[in-house]
Each structure stands twice: as C-alpha cells, then as structure tokens.
Amino acid sequence: MAEWPYTTTAWQRLRRLKLSEQPLCETCARRGRRVIAEHVDHIVAISRGGHAFPLTDGLRSLCPSCHSIKTAARERAGGKGVAVKGCDVDGLPLDPEHPFLAGDNPLSGQGAFASGPPGNEKNHLVQDWGV
Ligand SMILES: [Zn+2]
C-alpha cells in the first residue's frame, strides 16, 4: 500500500478524518461487534474508477481482518466478489456491495422482501413494515 495516493499528505489527512468520524470497523459493526478500525478503504476502488480522495462517505473504516477479507474477495484473481458473508438482522446482506443490493436488482432496496417471488401474494401483507 506504499504507493500513490497512500503516500500523500492529503491521503493521511483524509484517513485520519475518516477514522475520527468512524473509529470502529463498519463491517464488524454490521455484525454487532465493536472493533477498532485501523484501515480506511475506498468503497469504489481507484482501479475501478473511484476517486482517490473522495468525501469521507466514499470511504469505509475497517479493521485489518475485514480489509484483508474484502481485498481478497474483490481485488485478487479468483476472488468471489462478495467480501462479507451473511445477513444482518433485517435479512439484508452484510456486504454493502453484495450484488443483491445493486440498484438494477428488482428485489433490492425498499420492499425487497415484501414483494417476494412471483405468485407469493402472502408476502405482500408485510409490505408496510417500514424497515
Ligand atoms: Zn472488522
């Protein structure tokens, strides 16, 4: 990680700002665990067109373990693309970049579980859960 932009003063400032705003690992927090974050990750990798110095909401605070797992899943050859396995208490994938949550997925977003599979009208009864 000792290459641009990580060697710049601007990145070091941005990293400190993000860790001051979100000092806990965001992935662990979604699992209900409180782990100190040491790494700051670009949500959209620079290699995929992400900005090198995004606003802090374009960054994610991670513990070393979660960062390593995410990097292995997404950026190495043969990675499976899903960095965090499992679902949160609402049944949504823990991985914020999971394909299920992609904008073009007709089942993603609000009411994802309310619509259910075609022909399953029983699921429409829970449409206004407000989750
Ligand atoms: Zn973590």
mmCIF file of all heavy atoms in Angstrom, residues 85-121:
data_model
loop_
_atom_site.group_PDB
_atom_site.id
_atom_site.type_symbol
_atom_site.label_atom_id
_atom_site.label_comp_id
_atom_site.label_asym_id
_atom_site.label_seq_id
_atom_site.Cartn_x
_atom_site.Cartn_y
_atom_site.Cartn_z
ATOM 1 N N LYS A 85 -19.694 -12.354 4.127
ATOM 2 C CA LYS A 85 -20.777 -13.318 4.030
ATOM 3 C C LYS A 85 -21.773 -13.096 5.149
ATOM 4 O O LYS A 85 -21.434 -12.599 6.214
ATOM 5 C CB LYS A 85 -20.219 -14.740 4.109
ATOM 6 C CG LYS A 85 -19.342 -15.082 2.932
ATOM 7 C CD LYS A 85 -18.809 -16.480 3.049
ATOM 8 C CE LYS A 85 -17.940 -16.781 1.834
ATOM 9 N NZ LYS A 85 -17.302 -18.088 1.944
ATOM 10 N N GLY A 86 -23.005 -13.461 4.886
ATOM 11 C CA GLY A 86 -24.028 -13.412 5.921
ATOM 12 C C GLY A 86 -24.959 -12.229 5.764
ATOM 13 O O GLY A 86 -24.789 -11.380 4.890
ATOM 14 N N CYS A 87 -25.984 -12.199 6.619
ATOM 15 C CA CYS A 87 -27.003 -11.154 6.574
ATOM 16 C C CYS A 87 -27.119 -10.487 7.937
ATOM 17 O O CYS A 87 -26.771 -11.064 8.957
ATOM 18 C CB CYS A 87 -28.363 -11.769 6.219
ATOM 19 S SG CYS A 87 -28.383 -12.530 4.588
ATOM 20 N N ASP A 88 -27.651 -9.267 7.917
ATOM 21 C CA ASP A 88 -27.885 -8.568 9.173
ATOM 22 C C ASP A 88 -29.240 -8.998 9.752
ATOM 23 O O ASP A 88 -29.899 -9.888 9.217
ATOM 24 C CB ASP A 88 -27.794 -7.046 8.989
ATOM 25 C CG ASP A 88 -28.842 -6.488 8.050
ATOM 26 O OD1 ASP A 88 -29.843 -7.178 7.775
ATOM 27 O OD2 ASP A 88 -28.668 -5.337 7.613
ATOM 28 N N VAL A 89 -29.654 -8.352 10.830
ATOM 29 C CA VAL A 89 -30.892 -8.757 11.495
ATOM 30 C C VAL A 89 -32.120 -8.537 10.614
ATOM 31 O O VAL A 89 -33.169 -9.131 10.846
ATOM 32 C CB VAL A 89 -31.074 -8.014 12.846
ATOM 33 C CG1 VAL A 89 -29.997 -8.440 13.824
ATOM 34 C CG2 VAL A 89 -31.076 -6.520 12.651
ATOM 35 N N ASP A 90 -32.006 -7.694 9.586
ATOM 36 C CA ASP A 90 -33.118 -7.453 8.667
ATOM 37 C C ASP A 90 -33.104 -8.423 7.481
ATOM 38 O O ASP A 90 -33.960 -8.337 6.604
ATOM 39 C CB ASP A 90 -33.075 -6.017 8.140
ATOM 40 C CG ASP A 90 -33.251 -5.009 9.252
ATOM 41 O OD1 ASP A 90 -34.074 -5.267 10.153
ATOM 42 O OD2 ASP A 90 -32.560 -3.989 9.240
ATOM 43 N N GLY A 91 -32.126 -9.307 7.457
ATOM 44 C CA GLY A 91 -32.039 -10.271 6.370
ATOM 45 C C GLY A 91 -31.333 -9.737 5.146
ATOM 46 O O GLY A 91 -31.304 -10.391 4.115
ATOM 47 N N LEU A 92 -30.763 -8.551 5.240
ATOM 48 C CA LEU A 92 -30.038 -7.969 4.106
ATOM 49 C C LEU A 92 -28.574 -8.378 4.181
ATOM 50 O O LEU A 92 -28.035 -8.558 5.282
ATOM 51 C CB LEU A 92 -30.164 -6.444 4.119
ATOM 52 C CG LEU A 92 -31.581 -5.929 3.937
ATOM 53 C CD1 LEU A 92 -31.624 -4.423 4.142
ATOM 54 C CD2 LEU A 92 -32.113 -6.291 2.555
ATOM 55 N N PRO A 93 -27.909 -8.518 3.039
ATOM 56 C CA PRO A 93 -26.505 -8.915 3.042
ATOM 57 C C PRO A 93 -25.654 -7.945 3.858
ATOM 58 O O PRO A 93 -25.853 -6.723 3.800
ATOM 59 C CB PRO A 93 -26.115 -8.872 1.564
ATOM 60 C CG PRO A 93 -27.396 -9.011 0.828
ATOM 61 C CD PRO A 93 -28.433 -8.343 1.691
ATOM 62 N N LEU A 94 -24.699 -8.491 4.615
ATOM 63 C CA LEU A 94 -23.783 -7.642 5.380
ATOM 64 C C LEU A 94 -22.869 -6.846 4.457
ATOM 65 O O LEU A 94 -22.459 -5.745 4.785
ATOM 66 C CB LEU A 94 -22.926 -8.508 6.311
ATOM 67 C CG LEU A 94 -23.628 -9.074 7.525
ATOM 68 C CD1 LEU A 94 -22.721 -10.085 8.228
ATOM 69 C CD2 LEU A 94 -24.032 -7.977 8.479
ATOM 70 N N ASP A 95 -22.554 -7.412 3.315
ATOM 71 C CA ASP A 95 -21.669 -6.754 2.372
ATOM 72 C C ASP A 95 -22.427 -5.655 1.632
ATOM 73 O O ASP A 95 -23.339 -5.944 0.852
ATOM 74 C CB ASP A 95 -21.144 -7.776 1.370
ATOM 75 C CG ASP A 95 -20.127 -7.181 0.408
ATOM 76 O OD1 ASP A 95 -19.980 -5.950 0.377
ATOM 77 O OD2 ASP A 95 -19.489 -7.966 -0.310
ATOM 78 N N PRO A 96 -22.085 -4.380 1.863
ATOM 79 C CA PRO A 96 -22.828 -3.296 1.203
ATOM 80 C C PRO A 96 -22.692 -3.326 -0.312
ATOM 81 O O PRO A 96 -23.467 -2.685 -1.003
ATOM 82 C CB PRO A 96 -22.229 -2.024 1.792
ATOM 83 C CG PRO A 96 -20.924 -2.428 2.353
ATOM 84 C CD PRO A 96 -21.022 -3.884 2.714
ATOM 85 N N GLU A 97 -21.728 -4.070 -0.845
ATOM 86 C CA GLU A 97 -21.558 -4.154 -2.294
ATOM 87 C C GLU A 97 -22.049 -5.497 -2.837
ATOM 88 O O GLU A 97 -21.735 -5.857 -3.960
ATOM 89 C CB GLU A 97 -20.097 -3.937 -2.662
ATOM 90 C CG GLU A 97 -19.625 -2.539 -2.292
ATOM 91 C CD GLU A 97 -18.174 -2.325 -2.633
ATOM 92 O OE1 GLU A 97 -17.766 -2.647 -3.757
ATOM 93 O OE2 GLU A 97 -17.441 -1.859 -1.762
ATOM 94 N N HIS A 98 -22.817 -6.226 -2.036
ATOM 95 C CA HIS A 98 -23.348 -7.512 -2.488
ATOM 96 C C HIS A 98 -24.245 -7.289 -3.708
ATOM 97 O O HIS A 98 -25.007 -6.320 -3.747
ATOM 98 C CB HIS A 98 -24.157 -8.146 -1.356
ATOM 99 C CG HIS A 98 -24.512 -9.573 -1.629
ATOM 100 N ND1 HIS A 98 -25.506 -9.939 -2.502
ATOM 101 C CD2 HIS A 98 -23.980 -10.728 -1.150
ATOM 102 C CE1 HIS A 98 -25.584 -11.256 -2.543
ATOM 103 N NE2 HIS A 98 -24.669 -11.761 -1.727
ATOM 104 N N PRO A 99 -24.165 -8.164 -4.708
ATOM 105 C CA PRO A 99 -24.993 -7.983 -5.915
ATOM 106 C C PRO A 99 -26.486 -7.858 -5.603
ATOM 107 O O PRO A 99 -27.216 -7.186 -6.337
ATOM 108 C CB PRO A 99 -24.700 -9.257 -6.732
ATOM 109 C CG PRO A 99 -23.374 -9.715 -6.262
ATOM 110 C CD PRO A 99 -23.280 -9.316 -4.806
ATOM 111 N N PHE A 100 -26.950 -8.451 -4.521
ATOM 112 C CA PHE A 100 -28.369 -8.356 -4.175
ATOM 113 C C PHE A 100 -28.794 -6.908 -3.946
ATOM 114 O O PHE A 100 -29.939 -6.534 -4.213
ATOM 115 C CB PHE A 100 -28.656 -9.168 -2.908
ATOM 116 C CG PHE A 100 -30.102 -9.151 -2.520
ATOM 117 C CD1 PHE A 100 -30.999 -10.021 -3.117
ATOM 118 C CD2 PHE A 100 -30.574 -8.262 -1.566
ATOM 119 C CE1 PHE A 100 -32.334 -9.999 -2.774
ATOM 120 C CE2 PHE A 100 -31.906 -8.237 -1.225
ATOM 121 C CZ PHE A 100 -32.792 -9.108 -1.828
ATOM 122 N N LEU A 101 -27.862 -6.081 -3.450
ATOM 123 C CA LEU A 101 -28.176 -4.691 -3.132
ATOM 124 C C LEU A 101 -27.942 -3.758 -4.310
ATOM 125 O O LEU A 101 -28.191 -2.559 -4.197
ATOM 126 C CB LEU A 101 -27.349 -4.223 -1.940
ATOM 127 C CG LEU A 101 -27.583 -5.014 -0.657
ATOM 128 C CD1 LEU A 101 -26.604 -4.557 0.422
ATOM 129 C CD2 LEU A 101 -29.014 -4.875 -0.179
ATOM 130 N N ALA A 102 -27.501 -4.288 -5.436
ATOM 131 C CA ALA A 102 -27.233 -3.454 -6.609
ATOM 132 C C ALA A 102 -28.525 -2.796 -7.081
ATOM 133 O O ALA A 102 -29.609 -3.375 -6.993
ATOM 134 C CB ALA A 102 -26.630 -4.289 -7.731
ATOM 135 N N GLY A 103 -28.400 -1.586 -7.584
ATOM 136 C CA GLY A 103 -29.567 -0.807 -7.983
ATOM 137 C C GLY A 103 -30.401 -1.448 -9.079
ATOM 138 O O GLY A 103 -31.601 -1.230 -9.154
ATOM 139 N N ASP A 104 -29.787 -2.272 -9.931
ATOM 140 C CA ASP A 104 -30.542 -2.863 -11.037
ATOM 141 C C ASP A 104 -31.215 -4.176 -10.650
ATOM 142 O O ASP A 104 -31.876 -4.793 -11.461
ATOM 143 C CB ASP A 104 -29.650 -3.079 -12.255
ATOM 144 C CG ASP A 104 -28.447 -3.965 -11.958
ATOM 145 O OD1 ASP A 104 -28.179 -4.215 -10.775
ATOM 146 O OD2 ASP A 104 -27.788 -4.384 -12.915
ATOM 147 N N ASN A 105 -31.075 -4.572 -9.402
ATOM 148 C CA ASN A 105 -31.724 -5.795 -8.943
ATOM 149 C C ASN A 105 -33.169 -5.475 -8.577
ATOM 150 O O ASN A 105 -33.415 -4.666 -7.690
ATOM 151 C CB ASN A 105 -30.975 -6.347 -7.727
ATOM 152 C CG ASN A 105 -31.553 -7.655 -7.236
ATOM 153 O OD1 ASN A 105 -32.723 -7.957 -7.472
ATOM 154 N ND2 ASN A 105 -30.735 -8.425 -6.550
ATOM 155 N N PRO A 106 -34.143 -6.084 -9.235
ATOM 156 C CA PRO A 106 -35.543 -5.746 -8.957
ATOM 157 C C PRO A 106 -35.968 -6.096 -7.528
ATOM 158 O O PRO A 106 -36.959 -5.578 -7.029
ATOM 159 C CB PRO A 106 -36.328 -6.575 -9.975
ATOM 160 C CG PRO A 106 -35.394 -7.655 -10.397
ATOM 161 C CD PRO A 106 -34.009 -7.098 -10.270
ATOM 162 N N LEU A 107 -35.188 -6.924 -6.868
ATOM 163 C CA LEU A 107 -35.545 -7.293 -5.492
ATOM 164 C C LEU A 107 -34.805 -6.447 -4.462
ATOM 165 O O LEU A 107 -34.989 -6.616 -3.274
ATOM 166 C CB LEU A 107 -35.226 -8.772 -5.243
ATOM 167 C CG LEU A 107 -36.036 -9.754 -6.086
ATOM 168 C CD1 LEU A 107 -35.613 -11.176 -5.780
ATOM 169 C CD2 LEU A 107 -37.518 -9.581 -5.827
ATOM 170 N N SER A 108 -33.931 -5.529 -4.904
ATOM 171 C CA SER A 108 -33.149 -4.756 -3.952
ATOM 172 C C SER A 108 -33.933 -3.550 -3.443
ATOM 173 O O SER A 108 -34.941 -3.158 -3.997
ATOM 174 C CB SER A 108 -31.855 -4.266 -4.598
ATOM 175 O OG SER A 108 -32.146 -3.315 -5.579
ATOM 176 N N GLY A 109 -33.425 -2.984 -2.385
ATOM 177 C CA GLY A 109 -33.987 -1.747 -1.852
ATOM 178 C C GLY A 109 -35.270 -1.938 -1.079
ATOM 179 O O GLY A 109 -35.592 -3.022 -0.616
ATOM 180 N N GLN A 110 -36.021 -0.849 -0.953
ATOM 181 C CA GLN A 110 -37.250 -0.838 -0.166
ATOM 182 C C GLN A 110 -38.235 -1.891 -0.651
ATOM 183 O O GLN A 110 -38.515 -1.994 -1.833
ATOM 184 C CB GLN A 110 -37.889 0.544 -0.270
ATOM 185 C CG GLN A 110 -39.020 0.770 0.686
ATOM 186 C CD GLN A 110 -38.518 0.976 2.097
ATOM 187 O OE1 GLN A 110 -37.355 1.260 2.297
ATOM 188 N NE2 GLN A 110 -39.385 0.813 3.070
ATOM 189 N N GLY A 111 -38.734 -2.647 0.244
ATOM 190 C CA GLY A 111 -39.736 -3.637 -0.102
ATOM 191 C C GLY A 111 -39.162 -4.882 -0.758
ATOM 192 O O GLY A 111 -39.906 -5.657 -1.330
ATOM 193 N N ALA A 112 -37.840 -5.067 -0.654
ATOM 194 C CA ALA A 112 -37.218 -6.201 -1.319
ATOM 195 C C ALA A 112 -37.845 -7.516 -0.878
ATOM 196 O O ALA A 112 -38.074 -8.394 -1.684
ATOM 197 C CB ALA A 112 -35.717 -6.220 -1.041
ATOM 198 N N PHE A 113 -38.128 -7.642 0.386
ATOM 199 C CA PHE A 113 -38.674 -8.881 0.878
ATOM 200 C C PHE A 113 -40.201 -8.863 0.853
ATOM 201 O O PHE A 113 -40.837 -9.872 1.014
ATOM 202 C CB PHE A 113 -38.173 -9.165 2.285
ATOM 203 C CG PHE A 113 -36.702 -9.417 2.291
ATOM 204 C CD1 PHE A 113 -35.823 -8.399 2.600
ATOM 205 C CD2 PHE A 113 -36.193 -10.643 1.922
ATOM 206 C CE1 PHE A 113 -34.467 -8.623 2.571
ATOM 207 C CE2 PHE A 113 -34.834 -10.874 1.886
ATOM 208 C CZ PHE A 113 -33.971 -9.855 2.210
ATOM 209 N N ALA A 114 -40.762 -7.670 0.672
ATOM 210 C CA ALA A 114 -42.217 -7.581 0.661
ATOM 211 C C ALA A 114 -42.802 -8.173 -0.612
ATOM 212 O O ALA A 114 -43.862 -8.777 -0.595
ATOM 213 C CB ALA A 114 -42.651 -6.128 0.794
ATOM 214 N N SER A 115 -42.090 -7.994 -1.721
ATOM 215 C CA SER A 115 -42.654 -8.472 -2.976
ATOM 216 C C SER A 115 -42.503 -9.986 -3.123
ATOM 217 O O SER A 115 -43.392 -10.644 -3.621
ATOM 218 C CB SER A 115 -42.006 -7.759 -4.157
ATOM 219 O OG SER A 115 -40.621 -7.947 -4.135
ATOM 220 N N GLY A 116 -41.381 -10.532 -2.651
ATOM 221 C CA GLY A 116 -41.178 -11.974 -2.691
ATOM 222 C C GLY A 116 -41.225 -12.518 -4.102
ATOM 223 O O GLY A 116 -41.280 -11.770 -5.076
ATOM 224 N N PRO A 117 -41.197 -13.805 -4.214
ATOM 225 C CA PRO A 117 -41.221 -14.410 -5.533
ATOM 226 C C PRO A 117 -42.583 -14.243 -6.190
ATOM 227 O O PRO A 117 -43.597 -14.092 -5.501
ATOM 228 C CB PRO A 117 -40.908 -15.884 -5.249
ATOM 229 C CG PRO A 117 -41.235 -16.084 -3.815
ATOM 230 C CD PRO A 117 -41.074 -14.770 -3.143
ATOM 231 N N PRO A 118 -42.630 -14.237 -7.516
ATOM 232 C CA PRO A 118 -43.908 -14.069 -8.215
ATOM 233 C C PRO A 118 -44.917 -15.133 -7.766
ATOM 234 O O PRO A 118 -44.571 -16.292 -7.567
ATOM 235 C CB PRO A 118 -43.528 -14.286 -9.686
ATOM 236 C CG PRO A 118 -42.057 -14.033 -9.753
ATOM 237 C CD PRO A 118 -41.509 -14.391 -8.423
ATOM 238 N N GLY A 119 -46.149 -14.701 -7.586
ATOM 239 C CA GLY A 119 -47.200 -15.633 -7.202
ATOM 240 C C GLY A 119 -47.314 -15.852 -5.707
ATOM 241 O O GLY A 119 -48.196 -16.555 -5.243
ATOM 242 N N ASN A 120 -46.441 -15.212 -4.950
ATOM 243 C CA ASN A 120 -46.497 -15.399 -3.496
ATOM 244 C C ASN A 120 -47.181 -14.189 -2.867
ATOM 245 O O ASN A 120 -46.558 -13.342 -2.253
ATOM 246 C CB ASN A 120 -45.086 -15.596 -2.938
ATOM 247 C CG ASN A 120 -45.127 -16.045 -1.487
ATOM 248 O OD1 ASN A 120 -46.187 -16.052 -0.860
ATOM 249 N ND2 ASN A 120 -43.982 -16.421 -0.967
ATOM 250 N N GLU A 121 -48.486 -14.100 -2.998
ATOM 251 C CA GLU A 121 -49.241 -12.935 -2.529
ATOM 252 C C GLU A 121 -49.171 -12.785 -1.019
ATOM 253 O O GLU A 121 -49.313 -11.701 -0.478
ATOM 254 C CB GLU A 121 -50.700 -13.046 -2.965
ATOM 255 C CG GLU A 121 -50.917 -12.873 -4.459
ATOM 256 C CD GLU A 121 -50.495 -14.082 -5.288
ATOM 257 O OE1 GLU A 121 -50.339 -15.178 -4.720
ATOM 258 O OE2 GLU A 121 -50.287 -13.903 -6.487
#
